Amino acid sequence: MIGHLNAPRSDRSRWTPWDSAPDPDGAAGPVRVYCLPHAGGSAGSYLPWARGQHQPGLRFVPVELPGRGTRLAEEPLRSMDRVVDGLLDVLAHRPADERFMLFGHSMGSQIAYETARRLASEELPMPLSVIVSGGRPPGAPAVATLHDLGDDRLMKGIVELGGTPAEVLEHQDLVDLLLPVIRADLTLLADYTTRVRPTVLPCPVVALGGADDKLAGPEWISGWRSTTAARFRHRILPGDHFFLHTHRAEVMAELAAEAADRDAPGHG
């Protein structure tokens, strides 16, 4: 049996610490949107989404990776395979009739794609759609190689690229907290970028980007078209790399529109 199906329940719950109990009638309940973080990010960045009532019909499920947030005491993972193993275990224990989507920002977009790719390869239930945000498509060159730099240069490089607010550098305690996670995440991405062999997903893909994003500009967002054999659409919103927070209402509207489209006649 595949190893990720054998993890104890306590292990699985760590990945979705703020998830509520599944609806007993999953097919009629809201679409669960599993939200994957950017490099150095935690599930906490999606808490306003999960706690708000912004989009009826959607239930946002922030995903917590080891080494941050509620899992701060754990060692950060440096392997995409290990991250996806954990997510597949969570998804494998969903109610069979529950509808879900995967949403990932920046590093999370790569995790969302790879999770969907693994679901397809293992013939497991697929998400209604994969929504990627602020990320380059698999197979695209890395923005920069930072994971093997010294601590100061790594943090300055992240700030220069727009991946972290400059104010973070003024708080050494915060830098010390973030560094191990950021270095692990960048190591994961560097390794994944060199190993990934892009395949075409059978589910729709929606790609969102920021007009002024230095990490994944509009020219990269349209490149996600090659990742799906199903429907594809993309939209560029105002803002920089973190447009998903400054233009949260528009991003949520895109998610709601995608869920509604999948509920339309002709879609299963």
Side-chain angles (χ1 to χ4, degrees):
M1 179 176 284
I2 298 171
H4 62 251
L5 297 182
N6 295 320
R9 173 66 186 132
S10 58
D11 247 15
R12 291 193 297 274
S13 63
R14 293 177 192 168
W15 291 83
T16 55
W18 291 291
D19 193 15
S20 55
D23 294 285
D25 55 342
V31 174
R32 262 182 162 72
V33 184
Y34 291 89
C35 301
L36 299 155
H38 62 277
S42 73
S45 63
Y46 293 115
L47 265 184
W49 299 29
R51 289 177 173 169
Q53 299 296 323
H54 308 282
Q55 290 295 344
L58 298 181
R59 178 172 292 165
F60 295 100
V61 182
V63 173
E64 193 79 280
L65 304 185
R68 65 209 81 200
T70 60
R71 306 180 70 179
L72 191 60
E74 299 179 46
E75 189 72 19
L77 299 179
R78 296 173 176 242
S79 160
M80 178 69 83
D81 287 341
R82 291 186 65 193
V83 170
V84 174
D85 281 347
L87 290 171
L88 289 188
D89 180 63
V90 171
L91 296 174
H93 288 82
R94 298 167 33 256
D97 54 0
E98 180 187 272
R99 300 168 304 156
F100 73 102
M101 299 194 298
L102 298 175
F103 174 87
H105 181 71
S106 196
M107 176 184 76
S109 67
Q110 305 287 338
I111 297 173
Y113 166 80
E114 184 61 20
T115 300
R117 193 193 69 78
R118 286 271 300 276
L119 287 169
S121 69
E122 298 185 21
E123 299 183 348
L124 295 169
M126 295 295 295
L128 297 179
S129 299
V130 173
I131 299 92
V132 294
S133 165
R136 295 188 176 195
V143 180
T145 303
L146 301 175
H147 66 285
D148 54 358
L149 297 179
D151 291 351
D152 290 345
R153 186 68 194 97
L154 186 155
M155 290 302 299
K156 288 178 181 176
I158 289 291
V159 169
E160 289 168 3
L161 288 170
T164 298
E167 292 77 14
V168 168
L169 298 181
E170 300 173 7
H171 303 279
Q172 189 59 46
D173 288 348
L174 184 55
V175 170
D176 292 342
L177 191 66
L178 288 175
L179 259 171
V181 175
I182 290 178
R183 189 178 296 282
D185 289 349
L186 294 179
T187 300
L188 178 155
L189 287 171
D191 177 66
Y192 181 67
T193 299
T194 60
R195 291 191 304 105
V196 62
R197 297 293 181 266
T199 55
V200 178
L201 300 177
C203 62
V205 171
V206 177
L208 306 176
D212 301 315
D213 190 344
K214 296 179 183 178
L215 295 175
E219 69 277 13
W220 293 109
I221 300 304
S222 60
W224 284 92
R225 183 182 305 275
S226 64
T227 64
T228 178
R231 178 176 45 79
F232 172 82
R233 63 184 176 86
H234 74 288
R235 183 182 175 190
I236 304 301
L237 296 168
D240 58 16
H241 188 58
F242 291 107
F243 68 91
L244 80 163
H245 299 309
T246 56
H247 291 79
R248 184 173 70 190
E250 291 94 327
V251 172
M252 286 190 167
E254 290 293 327
L255 291 167
E258 186 62 15
D261 184 80
R262 298 297 291 153
D263 275 340
H267 292 299

